[in-house]
């Protein structure tokens, strides 16, 4: 969050008190997959009937979409214009109407390198990619995780099977795939069989606990076998030396 706080401190958009509140909540949200940022508005009515309503706001930024500082700077400034429109003018609708555009104009006058538009038109980088197997379609699909099961999903355009292309770096080159851990391989090979041995409806947590227990036992047996073979080899070497 240090980067967003840095930009926030560098954006003294006009406010009755001098600038936006220093305690404005700005947080990352990993669940924002298709939008760069959101501003949430809140209006509270005090218990005192003569007290004015209390207007507050908070900003959420996508940790998936905002993968460089320039996107972060532009998006945060965009969202702070929404915040200013709400806190100063008590206006949220239309979201990109005259009030928003007025604040955007003030911000761009201060920061000429920023172009604050009414939407976040960024090309989103997806490290995991799939492609339609139909040579006349070749539609590509991207995700932030390896979440498309090609056995269950097909191309949305032509209904043909999908092919997993792999994981890629931001520069487009294939990412080096790490070998799964021994435990991950053990889970893949044995989890289904272990689950079948347990009563129907056994919670996943208990299944994984049983898998972990069996993995530890198998690992211990393997270590004992290796230790035993090492002892036998040492004994054989000793006998050979005595015979010499």
């Amino acid at each position: 969050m240090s980067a967003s706080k840095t930009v926030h401190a560098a954006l003294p958009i006009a406010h009755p008190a001098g600038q936006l509140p220093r305690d404005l909540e700005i947080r990352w949200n990993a669940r924002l997959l298709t939008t760069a940022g959101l501003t949430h508005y809140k209006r509270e009515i005090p218990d005192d009937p003569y007290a004015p309503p209390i207007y507050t706001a908070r900003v959420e930024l996508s940790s998936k979409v905002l993968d460089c500082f320039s996107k972060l700077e532009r998006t945060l400034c965009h969202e702070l214009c929404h915040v200013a429109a709400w806190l100063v003018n008590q206006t949220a609708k239309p979201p990109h109407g005259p009030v928003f555009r007025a604040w955007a104009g003030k911000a761009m006058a201060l920061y000429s390198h920023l172009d604050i538009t009414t939407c976040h038109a960024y090309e989103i980088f997806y490290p995991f990619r799939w492609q339609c197997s139909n040579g006349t379609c070749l539609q590509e699909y991207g995700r932030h995780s390896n979440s498309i099961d090609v056995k269950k999903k097909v191309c949305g355009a032509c209904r043909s099977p999908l092919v997993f292309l792999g994981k890629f770096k931001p520069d487009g080159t294939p990412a080096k795939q790490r070998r799964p851990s021994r435990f991950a391989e053990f889970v893949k090979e044995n989890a289904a069989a272990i689950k079948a041995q347990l009563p129907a409806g056994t919670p996943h947590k208990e299944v994984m606990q049983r898998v972990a227990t069996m993995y530890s036992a198998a690992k211990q047996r393997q270590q004992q076998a290796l230790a035993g073979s090492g002892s036998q080899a040492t004994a054989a070497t000793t006998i050979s030396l005595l015979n010499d």
Side-chain angles (χ1 to χ4, degrees):
M1 184 53 65
S2 58
S4 61
K5 285 185 177 179
T6 299
V7 180
H8 179 208
L11 290 172
I13 301 176
H15 185 272
Q19 57 183 196
L20 293 178
R22 286 286 177 177
D23 60 350
L24 176 66
E25 183 180 354
I26 303 174
R27 64 170 63 175
W28 292 112
N29 187 341
R31 294 185 177 183
L32 294 179
L33 303 180
T34 58
T35 187
L38 290 174
T39 297
H40 299 271
Y41 312 105
K42 188 175 182 180
R43 179 175 181 267
E44 295 181 274
I45 304 299
D47 294 333
D48 184 352
Y50 298 101
I54 301 173
Y55 292 84
T56 57
R58 62 183 175 87
V59 174
E60 291 187 348
L61 302 172
S62 171
S63 58
K64 301 291 187 181
V65 178
L66 302 178
D67 52 9
C68 66
F69 186 80
S70 60
K71 291 181 182 179
L72 171 62
E73 183 182 33
R74 181 179 171 186
T75 300
L76 183 56
C77 192
H78 176 110
E79 298 306 327
L80 291 181
C81 289
H82 282 301
V83 172
W86 178 246
L87 297 184
V88 180
N89 307 99
Q90 290 81 55
T91 300
K93 295 181 180 181
H96 299 111
V99 176
F100 171 86
R101 292 196 296 271
W103 285 109
K106 292 181 180 182
M108 288 188 289
L110 288 172
Y111 302 96
S112 57
H113 67 287
L114 291 178
D115 181 20
I116 304 175
T117 60
T118 58
C119 63
H120 306 299
Y122 300 134
E123 181 178 351
I124 302 175
F125 167 68
Y126 295 105
F128 294 89
R129 300 178 192 172
W130 293 258
Q131 188 175 48
C132 176
S133 59
N134 184 347
T136 61
C137 178
L138 299 178
Q139 174 72 34
E140 283 199 17
Y141 300 88
R143 295 291 186 272
H144 293 289
S145 62
N146 191 357
S147 57
I148 295 181
D149 187 348
V150 295
K151 296 180 181 179
K152 298 179 180 179
K153 303 295 183 180
V154 296
C155 176
C158 69
R159 315 302 294 175
S160 297
L162 296 176
V163 177
F164 181 52
L165 299 179
K167 184 179 181 181
F168 294 83
K169 299 178 182 178
D171 61 4
T173 59
K176 185 178 180 180
Q177 298 294 319
R178 293 188 301 175
R179 180 180 176 180
S181 65
R182 293 182 179 179
F183 178 69
E185 292 179 342
F186 183 86
V187 171
K188 183 177 180 180
E189 296 172 359
N190 300 280
I194 294 173
K195 182 178 180 179
Q197 297 172 2
L198 298 174
T202 300
H204 178 72
K205 181 179 179 180
E206 294 183 15
V207 174
M208 293 307 298
Q209 287 175 344
R210 178 65 65 87
V211 171
T213 300
M214 296 188 69
Y215 173 75
S216 297
K219 186 177 180 181
Q220 186 175 7
R221 288 195 300 270
Q222 184 182 34
Q223 291 174 342
Q224 291 174 347
L226 291 174
S229 62
S231 299
Q232 293 176 1
T234 302
T237 302
T238 302
I239 293 173
S240 176
L241 291 173
L242 290 174
N243 290 336
D244 291 343

